[in-house]
Amino acid sequence: MNKAQVLCWVLAMAAAQCLAAEDAKKEIGPQELAKILEAPKASLVQVEYTLKPDKGDDPEVAGWSERCPNCGRYHGFNADEFIKKERPLSLPGVVISPDRVISPDPIVPWRFVKKLEIRCGEQTLSAEVIAYGLNQNAVILKTAAPLNAKPLAFAVDRKPPYFTVTYAVENGEWTACIRPFSAAVSYADKRGFFVTAPSSCLVVDESGAAVGMNF
């Protein structure tokens, strides 16, 4: 190896080290993710459907399912378990105005719904559905009084990287979780490549500003 080749090799190594250092600076770790989560978690609430049987029929909840991140399809659950265990069907909600919440649509016939409530900390308010999503499995709920939560403002012009925020019961308690958006790509023989986001998630940028939702 002559002097020119050695010089080129040294410069290449130096450039590689600079790029690695730059990537390390851009890497977002747990502490940074926790900071991003601070803003959206102030707008998260719990939506509770207390179900009941009707005329001998058990409730049908077609929309209470989750998209599998591996196969891309939805997996459902038995809704009558909520009646047997005497607990409500609980779904995440995001406050978008003082008395408005957007939430997944459980697609349950109203004859099976005993009551609909929204929990926000120590506050519990009755609610009603006032609008349905056209292209997303979502509903907008109106509460009987203003919620003690920060309404979420959307900033659709924000640039990547994006992150998904989920809110669900994990290990017996409501838990907000944030992770990078589209961290995995799947391939199905008939449908080809696809990317899935968690069911019923909020999408935010690295400042915590909301840029969209997925249902």
Side-chain angles (χ1 to χ4, degrees):
M1 183 180 290
N2 58 37
K3 291 183 178 181
Q5 291 174 322
V6 171
L7 178 59
C8 289
W9 181 81
V10 170
L11 290 175
M13 290 298 296
Q17 290 176 354
C18 288
L19 290 174
E22 190 65 25
D23 289 341
K25 291 180 182 179
K26 294 179 180 179
E27 184 178 352
I28 297 179
Q31 292 183 340
E32 289 76 18
L33 288 173
K35 291 179 181 178
I36 297 172
L37 185 58
E38 284 296 327
K41 76 181 182 65
S43 304
L44 301 176
V45 294
Q46 303 154 22
V47 179
E48 296 184 347
Y49 292 80
T50 300
L51 304 178
K52 63 182 179 68
D54 181 72
K55 299 178 181 179
D57 296 329
D58 288 328
E60 300 173 2
V61 185
W64 192 59
S65 59
E66 295 181 355
R67 184 191 289 273
C68 176
N70 296 318
C71 71
R73 299 191 181 280
Y74 289 92
H75 301 303
F77 306 88
N78 293 324
D80 58 345
E81 289 296 315
F82 296 107
I83 296 177
K84 294 178 181 178
K85 296 180 180 179
E86 298 184 345
R87 63 185 182 90
L89 163 62
S90 297
L91 297 171
V94 176
V95 180
I96 54 176
S97 76
D99 64 347
R100 299 285 195 280
V101 171
I102 186 168
S103 177
D105 182 3
I107 314 179
V108 55
W110 282 103
R111 68 188 183 100
F112 295 120
V113 179
K114 183 177 181 180
K115 62 181 178 179
L116 170 58
E117 295 178 315
I118 294 178
R119 292 186 182 274
C120 178
E122 299 298 323
Q123 186 183 35
T124 303
L125 296 174
S126 61
E128 61 176 333
V129 177
I130 62 170
Y132 293 87
L134 292 177
N135 300 315
Q136 294 279 335
N137 186 34
V139 291
I140 294 180
L141 311 174
K142 183 181 185 299
T143 56
L147 290 156
N148 297 329
K150 181 181 178 181
L152 196 67
F154 287 85
V156 296
D157 59 339
R158 298 299 179 95
K159 305 298 182 182
Y162 297 136
F163 305 86
T164 60
V165 176
T166 56
Y167 190 48
V169 177
E170 303 287 351
N171 297 320
E173 61 180 324
W174 280 92
T175 305
C177 178
I178 184 170
R179 58 175 59 86
F181 186 81
S182 302
V185 175
S186 300
Y187 178 82
D189 287 342
K190 294 182 179 179
R191 290 175 292 148
F193 288 101
F194 63 91
V195 175
T196 59
S199 296
S200 308
C201 71
L202 175 66
V203 182
V204 302
D205 72 352
E206 58 186 345
S207 72
V211 299
M213 299 189 72
N214 174 64
F215 292 98

